[in-house]
Amino acid sequence: AQKVTQAQTEISVVEKEDVTLDCVYETRDTTYYLFWYKQPPSGELVFLIRRNSFDEQNEISGRYSWNFQKSTSSFNFTITASQVVDSAVYFCALSAWGMDTGRRALTFGSGTRLQVQP
Amino acid sequence: NAGVTQTPKFRILKIGQSMTLQCTQDMNHNYMYWYRQDPGMGLKLIYYSVGAGITDKGEVPNGYNVSRSTTEDFPLRLELAAPSQTSVYFCASSPTTGGTTEAFFGQGTRLTVV
């Protein structure tokens, strides 16, 4: 079965600090997709990025960057020069084929709550 | 753009009551999903649908039912509400199956069963 582990339950930083959110995944599927979603205090889920298993290039989007390493089954997310508006719960998710279920499913990690203090 | 719309946003139910959580999307997506989010946890899939008339169980389907009579609507029915169903419920849709593309989420329904 697939699994996503976000070991950091909560992180608190001061504005302008850099912060990295860790995500480790498990799957037997060779074709899978990884996602990061942001859940601000208002509660909705906002898509941030998707990466497929064949594309290990790192990605940068403004202050956000993602580091995908298949060798360690990790898909970490870094926010550079954090801002108060970055305060949210961040979820990593994995889409993979389940050998036991016979279908593709999206599995979420338990989330990391990021608090950015002014 | 409305996207995915859920109603109601909040609801308190008594044990044993029933209710329907409404979800509608205007993006013509074939795939729709219901998730629940318990405090401090990730989202767990309750039911999903690959198109009108086709639904299937997810990880945690017990105590729930769904129907999909149109592409736009995917209501979730709770029969005989129990305290264990206290959660935040999210409806989502996607243009392709099972997360090969991003899902679009509604704003959630916070349900409390007392």
Side-chain angles (χ1 to χ4, degrees):
Chain A
Q2 43 261 30
K3 185 179 177 182
V4 176
T5 302
Q6 294 180 257
Q8 304 151 308
T9 306
E10 187 160 347
I11 301 175
S12 183
V13 299
V14 176
E15 208 168 18
K16 296 183 184 167
E17 283 186 33
D18 298 347
V19 58
T20 295
L21 310 182
D22 298 332
C23 173
V24 174
Y25 62 91
E26 296 175 30
T27 179
R28 294 182 184 177
D29 198 356
T30 55
T31 303
Y32 54 88
Y33 301 83
L34 294 161
F35 300 81
W36 276 94
Y37 284 87
K38 174 182 180 180
Q39 187 177 42
S42 50
E44 74 275 20
L45 282 132
V46 179
F47 164 77
L48 295 177
I49 191 172
R50 178 184 74 124
R51 175 65 78 225
N52 73 51
S53 52
F54 299 108
D55 183 1
E56 285 194 73
Q57 281 193 343
N58 292 332
E59 177 142 347
I60 298 175
S61 176
R63 295 184 297 106
Y64 295 171
S65 62
W66 291 268
N67 181 280
F68 175 30
Q69 291 194 342
K70 285 178 77 169
S71 60
T72 56
S73 297
S74 64
F75 187 42
N76 296 337
F77 173 30
T78 297
I79 302 175
T80 302
S82 59
Q83 299 176 2
V84 173
V85 293
D86 295 327
S87 296
V89 180
Y90 290 86
F91 290 98
C92 181
L94 163 71
S95 168
W97 191 266
M99 302 300 177
D100 49 344
T101 59
R103 62 172 173 81
R104 181 173 287 281
L106 188 62
T107 302
F108 284 81
S110 55
T112 297
R113 181 178 298 279
L114 175 64
Q115 303 261 25
V116 181
Q117 309 290 347
Chain B
N1 287 338
V4 178
T5 303
Q6 291 182 236
T7 56
K9 288 189 170 45
F10 304 94
R11 183 73 187 267
I12 298 175
L13 276 184
K14 293 185 178 178
I15 294 172
Q17 286 186 322
S18 301
M19 76 163 294
T20 299
L21 281 65
Q22 301 292 343
C23 175
T24 188
Q25 52 96 3
D26 62 359
M27 296 173 283
N28 203 33
H29 289 167
N30 282 329
Y31 301 90
M32 295 189 74
Y33 316 86
W34 275 105
Y35 290 90
R36 59 177 286 172
Q37 182 184 20
D38 297 329
M41 306 291 285
L43 280 70
K44 292 191 183 298
L45 183 64
I46 305 171
Y47 270 95
Y48 67 100
S49 169
V50 302
I54 307 170
T55 62
D56 205 350
K57 297 177 180 179
E59 290 179 79
V60 289
N62 291 342
Y64 307 95
N65 276 301
V66 293
S67 59
R68 184 98 181 267
S69 56
T70 66
T71 299
E72 295 78 19
D73 300 310
F74 190 41
L76 177 72
R77 177 86 178 157
L78 278 72
E79 307 281 4
L80 300 175
S84 61
Q85 293 177 305
T86 294
S87 191
V88 180
Y89 291 83
F90 287 97
C91 179
S93 72
S94 66
T96 60
T97 184
T100 54
T101 58
E102 67 269 25
F104 295 79
F105 285 83
Q107 291 208 309
T109 296
R110 186 175 296 274
L111 175 68
T112 303
V113 182
V114 296

PDB file of all heavy atoms in Angstrom, chain A residues 4-6 22-25 34-37 74-76 90-94 106-112:
ATOM      1  N   VAL A   4       2.316   8.174   2.773  1.00  0.00           N
ATOM      2  CA  VAL A   4       3.013   9.453   2.752  1.00  0.00           C
ATOM      3  C   VAL A   4       3.270   9.857   4.195  1.00  0.00           C
ATOM      4  O   VAL A   4       2.343   9.905   5.001  1.00  0.00           O
ATOM      5  CB  VAL A   4       2.175  10.534   2.039  1.00  0.00           C
ATOM      6  CG1 VAL A   4       2.887  11.876   2.110  1.00  0.00           C
ATOM      7  CG2 VAL A   4       1.906  10.140   0.599  1.00  0.00           C
ATOM      8  N   THR A   5       4.510  10.159   4.498  1.00  0.00           N
ATOM      9  CA  THR A   5       4.872  10.544   5.860  1.00  0.00           C
ATOM     10  C   THR A   5       5.388  11.975   5.890  1.00  0.00           C
ATOM     11  O   THR A   5       6.344  12.318   5.192  1.00  0.00           O
ATOM     12  CB  THR A   5       5.958   9.600   6.423  1.00  0.00           C
ATOM     13  OG1 THR A   5       5.458   8.252   6.398  1.00  0.00           O
ATOM     14  CG2 THR A   5       6.309   9.980   7.851  1.00  0.00           C
ATOM     15  N   GLN A   6       4.728  12.785   6.688  1.00  0.00           N
ATOM     16  CA  GLN A   6       5.203  14.138   6.963  1.00  0.00           C
ATOM     17  C   GLN A   6       5.517  14.167   8.451  1.00  0.00           C
ATOM     18  O   GLN A   6       4.646  14.338   9.284  1.00  0.00           O
ATOM     19  CB  GLN A   6       4.148  15.173   6.601  1.00  0.00           C
ATOM     20  CG  GLN A   6       3.866  15.225   5.111  1.00  0.00           C
ATOM     21  CD  GLN A   6       2.819  16.272   4.774  1.00  0.00           C
ATOM     22  OE1 GLN A   6       1.655  15.941   4.521  1.00  0.00           O
ATOM     23  NE2 GLN A   6       3.230  17.530   4.758  1.00  0.00           N
ATOM     24  N   ASP A  22       9.346  18.459   5.032  1.00  0.00           N
ATOM     25  CA  ASP A  22       9.773  17.148   4.537  1.00  0.00           C
ATOM     26  C   ASP A  22       8.580  16.281   4.145  1.00  0.00           C
ATOM     27  O   ASP A  22       7.512  16.328   4.774  1.00  0.00           O
ATOM     28  CB  ASP A  22      10.575  16.413   5.607  1.00  0.00           C
ATOM     29  CG  ASP A  22      11.845  17.156   5.972  1.00  0.00           C
ATOM     30  OD1 ASP A  22      12.387  17.882   5.119  1.00  0.00           O
ATOM     31  OD2 ASP A  22      12.298  17.000   7.129  1.00  0.00           O
ATOM     32  N   CYS A  23       8.794  15.470   3.109  1.00  0.00           N
ATOM     33  CA  CYS A  23       7.783  14.510   2.681  1.00  0.00           C
ATOM     34  C   CYS A  23       8.496  13.254   2.204  1.00  0.00           C
ATOM     35  O   CYS A  23       9.358  13.327   1.320  1.00  0.00           O
ATOM     36  CB  CYS A  23       6.933  15.094   1.557  1.00  0.00           C
ATOM     37  SG  CYS A  23       5.789  13.922   0.807  1.00  0.00           S
ATOM     38  N   VAL A  24       8.141  12.127   2.795  1.00  0.00           N
ATOM     39  CA  VAL A  24       8.693  10.838   2.382  1.00  0.00           C
ATOM     40  C   VAL A  24       7.534   9.953   1.977  1.00  0.00           C
ATOM     41  O   VAL A  24       6.506   9.906   2.657  1.00  0.00           O
ATOM     42  CB  VAL A  24       9.488  10.189   3.537  1.00  0.00           C
ATOM     43  CG1 VAL A  24       9.941   8.794   3.155  1.00  0.00           C
ATOM     44  CG2 VAL A  24      10.682  11.052   3.898  1.00  0.00           C
ATOM     45  N   TYR A  25       7.676   9.253   0.867  1.00  0.00           N
ATOM     46  CA  TYR A  25       6.562   8.450   0.369  1.00  0.00           C
ATOM     47  C   TYR A  25       6.992   7.005   0.153  1.00  0.00           C
ATOM     48  O   TYR A  25       8.191   6.703   0.040  1.00  0.00           O
ATOM     49  CB  TYR A  25       6.023   9.049  -0.937  1.00  0.00           C
ATOM     50  CG  TYR A  25       7.038   9.080  -2.053  1.00  0.00           C
ATOM     51  CD1 TYR A  25       7.145   8.018  -2.949  1.00  0.00           C
ATOM     52  CD2 TYR A  25       7.910  10.162  -2.197  1.00  0.00           C
ATOM     53  CE1 TYR A  25       8.096   8.031  -3.955  1.00  0.00           C
ATOM     54  CE2 TYR A  25       8.865  10.185  -3.196  1.00  0.00           C
ATOM     55  CZ  TYR A  25       8.951   9.122  -4.074  1.00  0.00           C
ATOM     56  OH  TYR A  25       9.897   9.135  -5.063  1.00  0.00           O
ATOM     57  N   LEU A  34       3.304  13.125  -7.430  1.00  0.00           N
ATOM     58  CA  LEU A  34       3.411  13.734  -6.108  1.00  0.00           C
ATOM     59  C   LEU A  34       2.873  15.157  -6.167  1.00  0.00           C
ATOM     60  O   LEU A  34       3.052  15.863  -7.160  1.00  0.00           O
ATOM     61  CB  LEU A  34       4.878  13.752  -5.658  1.00  0.00           C
ATOM     62  CG  LEU A  34       5.480  12.364  -5.421  1.00  0.00           C
ATOM     63  CD1 LEU A  34       6.995  12.436  -5.442  1.00  0.00           C
ATOM     64  CD2 LEU A  34       4.991  11.800  -4.096  1.00  0.00           C
ATOM     65  N   PHE A  35       2.231  15.552  -5.082  1.00  0.00           N
ATOM     66  CA  PHE A  35       1.592  16.863  -5.029  1.00  0.00           C
ATOM     67  C   PHE A  35       1.914  17.529  -3.692  1.00  0.00           C
ATOM     68  O   PHE A  35       2.162  16.868  -2.686  1.00  0.00           O
ATOM     69  CB  PHE A  35       0.061  16.730  -5.095  1.00  0.00           C
ATOM     70  CG  PHE A  35      -0.464  16.077  -6.334  1.00  0.00           C
ATOM     71  CD1 PHE A  35      -0.463  14.698  -6.458  1.00  0.00           C
ATOM     72  CD2 PHE A  35      -0.983  16.842  -7.360  1.00  0.00           C
ATOM     73  CE1 PHE A  35      -0.956  14.085  -7.602  1.00  0.00           C
ATOM     74  CE2 PHE A  35      -1.483  16.235  -8.503  1.00  0.00           C
ATOM     75  CZ  PHE A  35      -1.465  14.854  -8.618  1.00  0.00           C
ATOM     76  N   TRP A  36       1.860  18.845  -3.717  1.00  0.00           N
ATOM     77  CA  TRP A  36       1.796  19.619  -2.490  1.00  0.00           C
ATOM     78  C   TRP A  36       0.558  20.511  -2.565  1.00  0.00           C
ATOM     79  O   TRP A  36       0.296  21.140  -3.604  1.00  0.00           O
ATOM     80  CB  TRP A  36       3.038  20.498  -2.300  1.00  0.00           C
ATOM     81  CG  TRP A  36       4.187  19.780  -1.691  1.00  0.00           C
ATOM     82  CD1 TRP A  36       5.219  19.155  -2.335  1.00  0.00           C
ATOM     83  CD2 TRP A  36       4.436  19.600  -0.285  1.00  0.00           C
ATOM     84  NE1 TRP A  36       6.097  18.601  -1.429  1.00  0.00           N
ATOM     85  CE2 TRP A  36       5.642  18.860  -0.167  1.00  0.00           C
ATOM     86  CE3 TRP A  36       3.777  20.006   0.879  1.00  0.00           C
ATOM     87  CZ2 TRP A  36       6.188  18.518   1.075  1.00  0.00           C
ATOM     88  CZ3 TRP A  36       4.319  19.662   2.092  1.00  0.00           C
ATOM     89  CH2 TRP A  36       5.509  18.925   2.180  1.00  0.00           C
ATOM     90  N   TYR A  37      -0.179  20.519  -1.437  1.00  0.00           N
ATOM     91  CA  TYR A  37      -1.328  21.395  -1.300  1.00  0.00           C
ATOM     92  C   TYR A  37      -1.134  22.249  -0.058  1.00  0.00           C
ATOM     93  O   TYR A  37      -0.543  21.826   0.928  1.00  0.00           O
ATOM     94  CB  TYR A  37      -2.618  20.584  -1.116  1.00  0.00           C
ATOM     95  CG  TYR A  37      -3.151  19.938  -2.367  1.00  0.00           C
ATOM     96  CD1 TYR A  37      -2.716  18.683  -2.765  1.00  0.00           C
ATOM     97  CD2 TYR A  37      -4.103  20.588  -3.147  1.00  0.00           C
ATOM     98  CE1 TYR A  37      -3.222  18.088  -3.914  1.00  0.00           C
ATOM     99  CE2 TYR A  37      -4.620  20.004  -4.294  1.00  0.00           C
ATOM    100  CZ  TYR A  37      -4.165  18.758  -4.669  1.00  0.00           C
ATOM    101  OH  TYR A  37      -4.656  18.168  -5.806  1.00  0.00           O
ATOM    102  N   SER A  74      11.795  10.997  -1.472  1.00  0.00           N
ATOM    103  CA  SER A  74      11.430  12.242  -0.788  1.00  0.00           C
ATOM    104  C   SER A  74      11.047  13.319  -1.796  1.00  0.00           C
ATOM    105  O   SER A  74      11.535  13.341  -2.925  1.00  0.00           O
ATOM    106  CB  SER A  74      12.573  12.721   0.099  1.00  0.00           C
ATOM    107  OG  SER A  74      13.703  13.058  -0.693  1.00  0.00           O
ATOM    108  N   PHE A  75      10.168  14.189  -1.343  1.00  0.00           N
ATOM    109  CA  PHE A  75       9.699  15.302  -2.175  1.00  0.00           C
ATOM    110  C   PHE A  75       9.532  16.493  -1.247  1.00  0.00           C
ATOM    111  O   PHE A  75       8.438  16.829  -0.808  1.00  0.00           O
ATOM    112  CB  PHE A  75       8.390  14.925  -2.859  1.00  0.00           C
ATOM    113  CG  PHE A  75       7.894  15.939  -3.863  1.00  0.00           C
ATOM    114  CD1 PHE A  75       8.746  16.562  -4.752  1.00  0.00           C
ATOM    115  CD2 PHE A  75       6.537  16.252  -3.920  1.00  0.00           C
ATOM    116  CE1 PHE A  75       8.285  17.477  -5.678  1.00  0.00           C
ATOM    117  CE2 PHE A  75       6.051  17.176  -4.851  1.00  0.00           C
ATOM    118  CZ  PHE A  75       6.937  17.780  -5.726  1.00  0.00           C
ATOM    119  N   ASN A  76      10.644  17.143  -0.945  1.00  0.00           N
ATOM    120  CA  ASN A  76      10.654  18.197   0.061  1.00  0.00           C
ATOM    121  C   ASN A  76      10.347  19.561  -0.540  1.00  0.00           C
ATOM    122  O   ASN A  76      10.655  19.833  -1.704  1.00  0.00           O
ATOM    123  CB  ASN A  76      12.008  18.233   0.770  1.00  0.00           C
ATOM    124  CG  ASN A  76      12.268  16.958   1.546  1.00  0.00           C
ATOM    125  OD1 ASN A  76      11.344  16.244   1.924  1.00  0.00           O
ATOM    126  ND2 ASN A  76      13.535  16.662   1.764  1.00  0.00           N
ATOM    127  N   TYR A  90       0.416  22.418   5.324  1.00  0.00           N
ATOM    128  CA  TYR A  90       0.857  21.976   4.004  1.00  0.00           C
ATOM    129  C   TYR A  90       0.782  20.452   3.945  1.00  0.00           C
ATOM    130  O   TYR A  90       1.299  19.758   4.815  1.00  0.00           O
ATOM    131  CB  TYR A  90       2.285  22.449   3.734  1.00  0.00           C
ATOM    132  CG  TYR A  90       2.363  23.944   3.546  1.00  0.00           C
ATOM    133  CD1 TYR A  90       2.500  24.793   4.645  1.00  0.00           C
ATOM    134  CD2 TYR A  90       2.270  24.509   2.278  1.00  0.00           C
ATOM    135  CE1 TYR A  90       2.555  26.173   4.481  1.00  0.00           C
ATOM    136  CE2 TYR A  90       2.325  25.880   2.100  1.00  0.00           C
ATOM    137  CZ  TYR A  90       2.467  26.702   3.212  1.00  0.00           C
ATOM    138  OH  TYR A  90       2.510  28.059   3.041  1.00  0.00           O
ATOM    139  N   PHE A  91       0.130  19.964   2.887  1.00  0.00           N
ATOM    140  CA  PHE A  91      -0.033  18.533   2.704  1.00  0.00           C
ATOM    141  C   PHE A  91       0.757  18.067   1.487  1.00  0.00           C
ATOM    142  O   PHE A  91       0.694  18.667   0.421  1.00  0.00           O
ATOM    143  CB  PHE A  91      -1.502  18.179   2.481  1.00  0.00           C
ATOM    144  CG  PHE A  91      -2.369  18.341   3.696  1.00  0.00           C
ATOM    145  CD1 PHE A  91      -3.128  19.488   3.878  1.00  0.00           C
ATOM    146  CD2 PHE A  91      -2.424  17.347   4.658  1.00  0.00           C
ATOM    147  CE1 PHE A  91      -3.924  19.647   4.995  1.00  0.00           C
ATOM    148  CE2 PHE A  91      -3.223  17.491   5.784  1.00  0.00           C
ATOM    149  CZ  PHE A  91      -3.974  18.641   5.946  1.00  0.00           C
ATOM    150  N   CYS A  92       1.439  16.977   1.679  1.00  0.00           N
ATOM    151  CA  CYS A  92       2.063  16.254   0.575  1.00  0.00           C
ATOM    152  C   CYS A  92       1.133  15.097   0.226  1.00  0.00           C
ATOM    153  O   CYS A  92       0.504  14.499   1.120  1.00  0.00           O
ATOM    154  CB  CYS A  92       3.423  15.727   1.044  1.00  0.00           C
ATOM    155  SG  CYS A  92       4.359  14.824  -0.194  1.00  0.00           S
ATOM    156  N   ALA A  93       1.008  14.777  -1.048  1.00  0.00           N
ATOM    157  CA  ALA A  93       0.111  13.698  -1.458  1.00  0.00           C
ATOM    158  C   ALA A  93       0.750  12.885  -2.575  1.00  0.00           C
ATOM    159  O   ALA A  93       1.544  13.395  -3.361  1.00  0.00           O
ATOM    160  CB  ALA A  93      -1.242  14.261  -1.910  1.00  0.00           C
ATOM    161  N   LEU A  94       0.362  11.628  -2.631  1.00  0.00           N
ATOM    162  CA  LEU A  94       0.908  10.686  -3.606  1.00  0.00           C
ATOM    163  C   LEU A  94      -0.229  10.027  -4.362  1.00  0.00           C
ATOM    164  O   LEU A  94      -1.169   9.525  -3.754  1.00  0.00           O
ATOM    165  CB  LEU A  94       1.724   9.601  -2.870  1.00  0.00           C
ATOM    166  CG  LEU A  94       2.056   8.320  -3.624  1.00  0.00           C
ATOM    167  CD1 LEU A  94       3.095   8.590  -4.703  1.00  0.00           C
ATOM    168  CD2 LEU A  94       2.562   7.258  -2.654  1.00  0.00           C
ATOM    169  N   LEU A 106      -5.306   8.704  -4.464  1.00  0.00           N
ATOM    170  CA  LEU A 106      -4.531   9.828  -3.959  1.00  0.00           C
ATOM    171  C   LEU A 106      -4.444   9.702  -2.445  1.00  0.00           C
ATOM    172  O   LEU A 106      -5.474   9.712  -1.765  1.00  0.00           O
ATOM    173  CB  LEU A 106      -5.206  11.135  -4.354  1.00  0.00           C
ATOM    174  CG  LEU A 106      -4.463  12.436  -4.076  1.00  0.00           C
ATOM    175  CD1 LEU A 106      -3.167  12.483  -4.847  1.00  0.00           C
ATOM    176  CD2 LEU A 106      -5.343  13.625  -4.450  1.00  0.00           C
ATOM    177  N   THR A 107      -3.234   9.553  -1.946  1.00  0.00           N
ATOM    178  CA  THR A 107      -3.012   9.382  -0.500  1.00  0.00           C
ATOM    179  C   THR A 107      -2.333  10.621   0.048  1.00  0.00           C
ATOM    180  O   THR A 107      -1.301  11.048  -0.474  1.00  0.00           O
ATOM    181  CB  THR A 107      -2.121   8.153  -0.238  1.00  0.00           C
ATOM    182  OG1 THR A 107      -2.752   6.993  -0.794  1.00  0.00           O
ATOM    183  CG2 THR A 107      -1.901   7.946   1.250  1.00  0.00           C
ATOM    184  N   PHE A 108      -2.916  11.163   1.114  1.00  0.00           N
ATOM    185  CA  PHE A 108      -2.377  12.372   1.720  1.00  0.00           C
ATOM    186  C   PHE A 108      -1.533  12.049   2.942  1.00  0.00           C
ATOM    187  O   PHE A 108      -1.816  11.103   3.682  1.00  0.00           O
ATOM    188  CB  PHE A 108      -3.514  13.291   2.161  1.00  0.00           C
ATOM    189  CG  PHE A 108      -4.167  14.036   1.047  1.00  0.00           C
ATOM    190  CD1 PHE A 108      -5.131  13.437   0.250  1.00  0.00           C
ATOM    191  CD2 PHE A 108      -3.820  15.355   0.777  1.00  0.00           C
ATOM    192  CE1 PHE A 108      -5.732  14.115  -0.785  1.00  0.00           C
ATOM    193  CE2 PHE A 108      -4.423  16.053  -0.262  1.00  0.00           C
ATOM    194  CZ  PHE A 108      -5.373  15.426  -1.041  1.00  0.00           C
ATOM    195  N   GLY A 109      -0.504  12.867   3.159  1.00  0.00           N
ATOM    196  CA  GLY A 109       0.189  12.848   4.437  1.00  0.00           C
ATOM    197  C   GLY A 109      -0.662  13.542   5.487  1.00  0.00           C
ATOM    198  O   GLY A 109      -1.725  14.099   5.180  1.00  0.00           O
ATOM    199  N   SER A 110      -0.193  13.529   6.721  1.00  0.00           N
ATOM    200  CA  SER A 110      -0.975  14.114   7.812  1.00  0.00           C
ATOM    201  C   SER A 110      -0.804  15.616   7.933  1.00  0.00           C
ATOM    202  O   SER A 110      -1.470  16.255   8.734  1.00  0.00           O
ATOM    203  CB  SER A 110      -0.606  13.441   9.140  1.00  0.00           C
ATOM    204  OG  SER A 110       0.788  13.544   9.337  1.00  0.00           O
ATOM    205  N   GLY A 111       0.083  16.178   7.133  1.00  0.00           N
ATOM    206  CA  GLY A 111       0.213  17.629   7.078  1.00  0.00           C
ATOM    207  C   GLY A 111       1.254  18.172   8.038  1.00  0.00           C
ATOM    208  O   GLY A 111       1.548  17.579   9.073  1.00  0.00           O
ATOM    209  N   THR A 112       1.819  19.323   7.686  1.00  0.00           N
ATOM    210  CA  THR A 112       2.730  20.071   8.545  1.00  0.00           C
ATOM    211  C   THR A 112       2.156  21.467   8.715  1.00  0.00           C
ATOM    212  O   THR A 112       1.913  22.156   7.727  1.00  0.00           O
ATOM    213  CB  THR A 112       4.142  20.174   7.923  1.00  0.00           C
ATOM    214  OG1 THR A 112       4.698  18.867   7.805  1.00  0.00           O
ATOM    215  CG2 THR A 112       5.047  21.052   8.785  1.00  0.00           C
TER     216      THR A 112
END
